[in-house]
Amino acid sequence: MCPFVRDNGELAGVVVGGNFTSLGGIETQGVAMYDPNTNNITPLPGLLGKVSAVYCDQDTDTVYVGGDFKGANSTNAVAWVGMTGWQNLPFAGFNGPVDTIAKAPNGNIIFGGTFTGLGNTTAPVKKDQQIVNLASANITSGSTTEEDGFNEPNSIVCPTPGQDEAGSTWLLEDKTPGFWRADLNFGFQPTKLRLWNTHRNGRGTKTFRFTALPLNGIMNMTYNNPDTGKKTPCDADGARCPLSDNTSLPYQDFEFYNIVGMSAFQIDISDWYGDGAGLNGIELFQDDIYAYAVPDLNEPNCANIKLGSNSTPTGPWLTAPSGQSQSQYLTIDLASEDVQSAGTSVVFRPNIRQRGNYSVTVYTPGCLQDNSCDRRGIANVTGVFTEGGSPTPPQQISQTNNFDKYDQIYDGPVDVNTDSFRATVTLAPYTQQDEEILLVAQRVRFAPTNYTGGLNGLFEFDPASGSTLTDFSKSAFDQAGTNLQPEAVVTSLAVVGGISYIGGNFSDIAGIFQNIFSITDGNATSLPNGGLNAQVATFQVFGDLLYIGGNFTNTATGNVAGLNNFAAYDTVSRSWLALGSGVRGQVNTIVPLELNITENQPETCITVNGHFDRLEAFESAPALPVQGFGVWVPSRQNWLQNLDLATRRITGKLSTATNITGSKPLLAGTISSQGVPGAQGAVELTSDPLQLNSLGVKIQPEPVASPKRKRAINGQDVS
């Protein structure tokens, strides 16, 4: 819900959206206008489907509506302008559902949801493969043979075709299962595994499985069956994959069903041909195109790649451990006179195999992990991306970020690698610094883009332009979406203190944050501890606090106790706050509610609604059974249910609320509060006396259909 205040200051009514077919006995599909003074309902016909988000913008005299619907020649997003009716947005909506709408600090409208392109476009699919460097990994094994020449697990990295012999083949003991493991100095997200089986003396690996570490998750894969020629999933029972003993097959490829980040992996061999198992070669591929500052992390020289990714550091750089970051990185201490000289730099060279448009991003590790915040300075970054092209104008990137961040430095055409040309990015100290600094260099990413699609759950619209900007690189929100893993789900948007917060079910490609992040000064920035470890379903802003609900249990790095499905983030101190110890089960909505906690002194409390059955115990407060509803009292830092107060007993669930200037707060849900049993639909909160009153507006819900989206938030009928 949102109050639609016209540009002349008059209240047109409250726009109510949801998954219903009638409101107050009036037939209306998914959206209507409600008059809080008369209780009259005005249908807003023309949409077919579910409305999940509404945003009333007085500045443009427009209500922006999003959801999973069709109407006015648009899909999933449309505008109600003044009182003239529905109008198509210039981009005709989106190719997937919209879950949330907010207004950015710059006045633009932000849409979040599950979409990959605009309503009248088709998003492109491009895949580029890069070899993961196993040559620099720490390789270990178990149950390895003692036979000389066949007992080195490193020997199968960078295989030489046709050489199944000592020094190039690794064998297990006779008729014994075993494992092969690689621990790397950087994070990666493999898309394909390539294995060469050994055929030495009739031996070979028959079945294996792949485990991602440190997640300890067994990966599901598919392969082309050599007998049928069809793509076939590996055995679902234990995800064991077969490896052929056909000597005419040089190798077999196994594609990962899910793209998962990891820093190590293990191949467990469970069965064999002949007298025992073994392997003759292994390669791992990823779609991401990276060039690392630490040379050993780039594509291996032994892989026979003519123009593989590489880097050239100039100066006395030192290698720093990855810490809480995604990979090792280089550091260098520079005196003031060295800062102003031209003798320090890192040149990154990616492996570009296909000409096209790319978004180029520079990653900077956070300064808290190495306690260097007071010494960090500013980097100067330039690039050359096309043959015969001039270097891009220098860009200054501050490196004083507390947590890992990335900055886009270029979006446009990049030429393919040749003997005469390679795209380069050069990072050096910004010379206009007159003090000693610490400079860091980590990695650069090249991501293919296409301006007719290429969205990923976020889109920024400028109402003042009257047209659609299809160069998504010019929007920090659009660019942040493209830097998330494919099929990102954005469920929540909020703006606090000029900073935009984005929540949902996602992780960024670089592995810096999960499920929540902020956009500050045009850059996507991780929250402390990498965000949250599972889906965020809802936000609610109260003062400087951002209340968050979902199905998480901790931060992404697991360092803060008590964040069970309900937590708060202090936007001033930039820290996580446990609210009691949370609840047991998923939180779907968080709705503010004023209650008389102290006699004649109403205060704002926070209602928590969802599929949970217990308020978790904390300090001296015991665990309390509930039915999906709790009331948090900020002034007491406790649940209302724990306080020995003479207040009204309130049960039920709230889905949303809105404040109306000069009128009473309006809430939606199913509420029972002493004198108002079963007030289902819309209710109001009066202050004299303080109580909930049914408005007599009944909501007829739409019949539940099969779920089509990742977001599992049930019972949210009104937004």
Side-chain angles (χ1 to χ4, degrees):
M1 296 188 293
C2 66
F4 183 27
V5 179
R6 300 289 308 280
D7 54 1
N8 60 7
E10 295 180 0
L11 176 68
V14 176
V15 179
V16 182
N19 189 26
F20 51 78
T21 56
S22 70
L23 195 65
I26 306 295
E27 182 178 356
T28 181
Q29 181 73 46
V31 64
M33 191 90 72
Y34 167 69
D35 187 336
N37 297 317
T38 64
N39 284 353
N40 290 336
I41 301 294
T42 301
L44 305 180
L47 303 186
L48 180 62
K50 175 184 177 181
V51 171
S52 302
V54 293
Y55 185 86
C56 297
D57 185 29
Q58 182 178 0
D59 294 336
T60 59
D61 202 27
T62 300
V63 181
Y64 296 94
V65 178
D68 191 359
F69 58 77
K70 292 184 178 180
N73 295 320
S74 291
T75 56
N76 304 320
V78 72
W80 180 272
V81 180
M83 296 304 291
T84 61
W86 298 112
Q87 289 188 17
N88 292 311
L89 294 166
F91 49 89
F94 303 92
N95 65 353
V98 171
D99 283 319
T100 180
I101 306 172
K103 192 172 186 176
N106 63 3
N108 290 347
I109 304 299
I110 310 302
F111 296 84
T114 312
F115 48 80
T116 58
L118 301 178
N120 53 4
T121 65
T122 301
V125 177
K126 278 190 175 182
K127 296 177 71 67
D128 290 282
Q129 293 185 328
Q130 186 171 20
I131 295 178
V132 177
N133 190 343
L134 301 180
S136 62
N138 179 33
I139 308 297
T140 56
S141 63
S143 302
T144 297
T145 182
E146 297 182 358
E147 184 178 354
D148 289 341
F150 298 93
N151 56 359
E152 291 294 337
N154 301 66
S155 64
I156 63 173
V157 176
C158 295
T160 303
Q163 295 186 11
D164 194 359
E165 56 191 35
S168 61
T169 297
W170 167 72
L171 299 178
L172 290 175
E173 296 176 354
D174 290 353
K175 302 184 184 300
T176 303
F179 71 86
W180 189 95
R181 173 171 171 155
D183 289 84
L184 289 77
N185 293 313
F186 58 95
F188 58 96
Q189 296 171 319
T191 55
K192 184 172 67 176
L193 170 70
R194 177 170 291 175
L195 290 178
W196 283 258
N197 207 351
T198 182
H199 305 289
R200 183 171 178 80
N201 299 328
R203 303 170 71 104
T205 295
K206 191 173 185 178
T207 59
F208 72 94
R209 71 182 183 190
F210 185 105
T211 301
L213 301 171
L215 301 175
N216 202 33
I218 299 172
M219 301 295 291
N220 293 314
M221 296 188 287
T222 61
Y223 68 101
N224 285 325
N225 190 319
D227 297 327
T228 64
K230 296 181 179 179
K231 180 175 286 190
T232 305
C234 292
D235 182 8
D237 183 14
R240 298 197 180 275
C241 294
L243 196 59
S244 175
D245 64 344
N246 187 337
T247 57
S248 64
L249 288 176
Y251 55 79
Q252 277 186 267
D253 287 340
F254 298 85
E255 296 182 355
F256 292 91
Y257 189 79
N258 296 309
I259 308 302
V260 174
M262 61 192 78
S263 59
F265 67 92
Q266 182 168 305
I267 294 176
D268 292 289
I269 298 173
S270 55
D271 202 359
W272 49 86
Y273 299 104
D275 291 333
L279 292 170
N280 183 233
I282 181 172
E283 283 185 340
L284 203 61
F285 298 84
Q286 63 180 5
D287 288 337
D288 299 331
I289 303 174
Y290 284 106
Y292 291 88
V294 178
D296 287 345
L297 305 187
N298 289 300
E299 290 182 295
N301 295 328
C302 62
N304 296 319
I305 304 173
K306 185 177 181 181
L307 299 170
S309 62
N310 64 67
S311 62
T312 303
T314 301
W317 293 87
L318 299 176
T319 300
S322 58
Q324 297 179 5
S325 189
Q326 190 70 7
S327 72
Q328 292 178 328
Y329 55 95
L330 297 181
T331 68
I332 188 170
D333 280 298
L334 296 171
S336 58
E337 61 270 19
D338 296 326
V339 170
Q340 298 169 20
S341 70
T344 301
S345 68
V346 176
V347 179
F348 300 85
R349 302 179 187 87
N351 183 1
I352 303 298
R353 301 183 181 182
Q354 180 181 11
R355 189 185 191 281
N357 290 323
Y358 289 81
S359 170
V360 182
T361 307
V362 173
Y363 290 82
T364 305
C367 62
L368 289 180
Q369 63 181 350
D370 59 8
N371 196 29
S372 64
C373 295
D374 59 341
R375 297 187 294 132
R376 292 280 188 95
I378 301 174
N380 194 70
V381 180
T382 58
V384 178
F385 302 107
T386 57
E387 189 166 10
S390 301
T392 58
Q395 297 185 50
Q396 285 73 54
I397 297 178
S398 173
Q399 297 193 328
T400 57
N401 46 293
N402 288 345
F403 306 98
D404 286 14
K405 71 163 184 174
Y406 52 81
D407 293 274
Q408 184 188 32
I409 62 165
Y410 177 78
D411 196 293
V414 178
D415 283 342
V416 68
N417 289 353
T418 66
D419 291 334
S420 60
F421 172 79
R422 294 202 63 171
T424 60
V425 172
T426 301
L427 184 148
Y430 179 52
T431 57
Q432 303 303 310
Q433 300 173 93
D434 57 1
E435 58 185 0
E436 180 181 343
I437 67 166
L438 177 76
L439 194 68
V440 297
Q442 188 179 51
R443 55 183 172 153
V444 174
R445 174 176 177 252
F446 284 66
T449 62
N450 187 305
Y451 295 150
T452 62
L455 295 175
N456 190 22
L458 280 170
F459 179 69
E460 180 179 8
F461 170 61
D462 181 3
S465 69
S467 61
T468 302
L469 180 68
T470 56
D471 183 351
F472 301 142
S473 68
K474 298 186 182 301
S475 164
F477 291 88
D478 299 352
Q479 190 61 39
T482 62
N483 282 319
L484 300 178
Q485 287 290 347
E487 300 181 349
V489 179
V490 175
T491 61
S492 309
L493 295 167
V495 178
V496 188
I499 297 176
S500 300
Y501 294 87
I502 296 93
N505 187 1
F506 53 71
S507 61
D508 72 310
I509 292 173
I512 296 175
F513 53 75
Q514 297 179 34
N515 303 306
I516 185 172
F517 67 99
S518 66
I519 291 183
T520 309
D521 297 328
N523 293 315
T525 305
S526 173
L527 270 61
N529 309 108
L532 295 167
N533 65 357
Q535 174 179 325
V536 169
T538 185
F539 285 161
Q540 181 61 237
V541 177
F542 180 56
D544 294 325
L545 295 184
L546 179 66
Y547 286 92
I548 305 167
N551 62 357
F552 47 84
T553 58
N554 208 316
T555 63
T557 58
N559 295 332
V560 182
L563 307 185
N564 293 301
N565 306 301
F566 176 52
Y569 178 73
D570 190 321
T571 61
V572 175
S573 66
R574 297 172 62 183
S575 60
W576 293 105
L577 302 177
L579 304 175
S581 192
V583 301
R584 186 173 71 176
Q586 178 169 312
V587 171
N588 292 339
T589 61
I590 300 173
V591 179
L593 178 66
E594 284 201 358
L595 292 175
N596 221 354
I597 302 302
T598 303
E599 187 174 357
N600 298 322
Q601 294 184 14
E603 63 182 85
T604 300
C605 299
I606 306 298
T607 72
V608 184
N609 311 265
H611 300 289
F612 53 89
D613 61 1
R614 187 172 74 190
L615 308 179
E616 298 287 18
F618 71 102
E619 297 178 354
S620 62
L624 291 177
V626 293
Q627 295 181 343
F629 183 79
V631 180
W632 179 258
V633 184
S635 66
R636 304 295 183 92
Q637 288 296 290
N638 209 332
W639 296 102
L640 178 65
Q641 289 90 331
N642 283 331
L643 302 178
D644 186 16
L645 300 173
T647 59
R648 290 183 174 274
R649 180 177 178 271
I650 302 175
T651 60
K653 291 184 180 180
L654 293 174
S655 60
T656 188
T658 190
N659 289 315
I660 307 168
T661 302
S663 187
K664 303 160 187 173
L666 186 66
L667 303 100
T670 302
I671 287 293
S672 175
S673 177
Q674 293 184 346
V676 195
Q680 181 174 12
V683 294
E684 70 176 354
L685 181 68
T686 65
S687 57
D688 187 22
L690 186 65
Q691 62 184 14
L692 288 165
N693 291 329
S694 173
L695 293 177
V697 179
K698 303 298 184 182
I699 300 171
Q700 179 63 44
E702 183 80 5
V704 177
S706 300
K708 296 173 21 180
R709 294 157 49 195
K710 288 183 179 178
R711 186 185 181 195
I713 299 178
N714 300 317
Q716 189 171 341
D717 294 323
V718 179
S719 63

